[in-house]
Amino acid sequence: MLASILPWYPLLVYRLGLNSWQFGLAVACYAAGSLLSSGLPAALIARFGAHRVVIGGTVLLGLAAATTAWSVNGLMMAICLLLLGCCDAIVDVAQNVVGIAVQERLQRTILSSMHALWSLGGLLSGAAATVAASSGVDMRVWLAAVAIIAVAVTILGRRLIGDGAAPRRVADSDAAGDTEPAPPDVEPGQGPTRSKTAILLAALPLAIIAICGSAVEDIANNWAGLAAVRLAGVPAASAGIAFSIVIGSQCLGRFSGDVLVMRFGAGRIARIGGGLIALGGLGAVFAEEPVLLLIAMAALGFGSATLVPGALGAAAQLPGIGRAGGVTLVNWLMRVGFLGTSPLVGLIAAEAGLRWGLSLLVMVGVLTAVFAHRLDPPRRAES
């Protein structure tokens, strides 16, 4: 849904007569909405079940996206994007809760492939919207059609899952919207008595890994094209290839990630991914011709592939907070950290140059390697 809107931004700016700072404020409302959602995902999932939240949230997500096309001024556009960001954060958590429930029932990792389809969907939707925009298709008709398709696909997904996400425990049953009885899953000393500080401290390393993964995506979105032009001499008309390589290699890494995680463990794969991110960052910093830069972009995408799904999967296992609560907390912290990535790169680049700004990727890789072991199950981490 978001990728289907991005190519229409120039048309909206022209139609609404927005200047640069007005447009910047409007699009910032998307991120603000995702942060304002805060504890809503866990509360809604506890009340209605994850499946219902996914479907209902996708309906609202589609309405917010489609209504953006009808904006008559910058304020209306900002409100639509605020609601879009809020609904996106809620649906994001609920989808991952459902995916984790299916993963646990199957007793094998699927979350990385699930996120790979997110990457693929973004690429295809953005490309289709770009073609539609350049062909003169009415933006309102296009976004309405995409919203209907998204809701239909989500309902189909729910039917295909069937009882595949039916949990074995009472707490899981509440989260997935099922009612089958089962024994409780609260171990002694890990229930409601666990302090908020202890929960936050346990979630923070996972949030750092998730932020590292999303930081690579954010830098690819906003800086890969500019780096290709300024540092490697890629023609401006072809600069988009740098972004495409990052997202494409990330998609490939996610499709292969489940097999690798099952074989070697989430922590080891994340540690290798951190090394690839650090090497990719160094390649981007020292690149003076296109080949090295594009190889660096591929390393960044592949290295970051399993970080966000791995962190969210581990968050579902945090004791004393529940599956939905853990995913909500780490997802929210990730979005907070995500907000500061591009401004920090921009600040460093303004003071010392773009190469120094991109050197932030090296630190991202190091942090990933340091905290990678937290993605392993508790007994594996202790061993």
Side-chain angles (χ1 to χ4, degrees):
M1 289 306 310
L2 178 63
S4 68
I5 293 179
L6 298 179
W8 302 98
Y9 274 169
L11 179 60
L12 280 169
V13 169
Y14 173 77
R15 178 187 294 175
L16 303 179
L18 303 178
N19 58 35
S20 296
W21 73 268
Q22 289 171 330
F23 174 70
L25 287 176
V27 296
C29 286
Y30 173 83
S34 68
L35 293 181
L36 289 175
S37 67
S38 188
L40 278 177
L44 290 173
I45 290 169
R47 175 66 179 84
F48 300 105
H51 288 297
R52 296 187 185 95
V53 173
V54 169
I55 295 173
T58 303
V59 171
L60 295 177
L61 188 69
L63 286 173
T67 306
T68 305
W70 293 84
S71 298
V72 296
N73 52 45
L75 178 60
M76 181 176 175
M77 177 182 173
I79 292 173
C80 289
L81 291 178
L82 184 79
L83 294 174
L84 185 69
C86 184
C87 292
D88 175 63
I90 292 171
V91 172
D92 188 18
V93 171
Q95 285 176 336
N96 278 288
V97 167
V98 172
I100 291 165
V102 174
Q103 177 172 275
E104 291 180 354
R105 176 61 65 175
L106 294 176
Q107 295 186 338
R108 65 182 178 87
T109 304
I110 65 165
L111 213 59
S112 184
S113 295
M114 178 176 149
H115 281 249
L117 291 171
W118 176 88
S119 301
L120 184 62
L123 281 174
L124 295 178
S125 181
T130 300
V131 172
S134 61
S135 301
V137 176
D138 191 314
M139 172 174 50
R140 295 168 295 187
V141 174
W142 181 264
L143 291 178
V146 172
I148 292 171
I149 292 170
V151 172
V153 169
T154 303
I155 293 173
L156 175 62
R158 174 64 186 102
R159 292 181 63 86
L160 290 174
I161 290 173
D163 294 329
R168 304 172 183 174
R169 301 182 296 258
V170 166
D172 291 345
S173 180
D174 293 340
D178 296 300
T179 56
E180 64 177 49
D185 72 341
V186 178
E187 298 180 9
Q190 291 189 346
T193 57
R194 189 174 174 86
S195 70
K196 293 181 180 179
T197 302
I199 292 172
L200 183 61
L201 289 176
L204 193 57
L206 302 179
I208 291 173
I209 294 174
I211 290 169
C212 288
S214 63
V216 174
E217 295 177 13
D218 187 50
I219 292 173
N221 289 344
N222 300 319
W223 299 97
L226 192 61
V229 174
R230 290 188 181 179
L231 305 183
V234 175
S238 305
I241 190 174
F243 164 77
S244 298
I245 285 180
V246 176
I247 300 302
S249 62
Q250 184 188 69
C251 187
L252 291 174
R254 284 177 168 173
F255 275 123
S256 62
D258 289 328
V259 175
L260 294 174
V261 167
M262 289 290 291
R263 175 68 178 83
F264 300 105
R268 183 179 298 178
I269 295 303
R271 194 173 301 112
I272 295 172
L276 286 174
I277 293 171
L279 288 174
L282 287 173
V285 168
F286 290 106
E288 295 184 353
E289 43 83 28
V291 174
L292 178 58
L293 180 77
L294 297 181
I295 292 174
M297 294 294 115
L300 290 170
F302 200 85
S304 65
T306 64
L307 301 186
V308 173
L312 294 179
Q317 307 301 322
L318 288 173
I321 189 173
R323 179 187 290 153
V327 175
T328 297
L329 178 58
V330 171
N331 186 284
W332 188 82
L333 290 171
M334 177 185 72
R335 290 172 183 268
V336 171
F338 183 79
L339 277 179
T341 302
S342 272
L344 183 57
V345 173
L347 179 63
I348 297 173
E351 295 295 327
L354 183 56
R355 292 187 190 275
W356 282 103
L358 293 177
S359 68
L360 183 67
L361 288 165
V362 179
M363 186 179 73
V364 167
V366 172
L367 283 174
T368 299
V370 169
F371 290 101
H373 68 281
R374 299 303 292 266
L375 297 184
D376 287 323
R379 62 172 178 270
R380 184 177 300 176
E382 291 168 2
S383 63

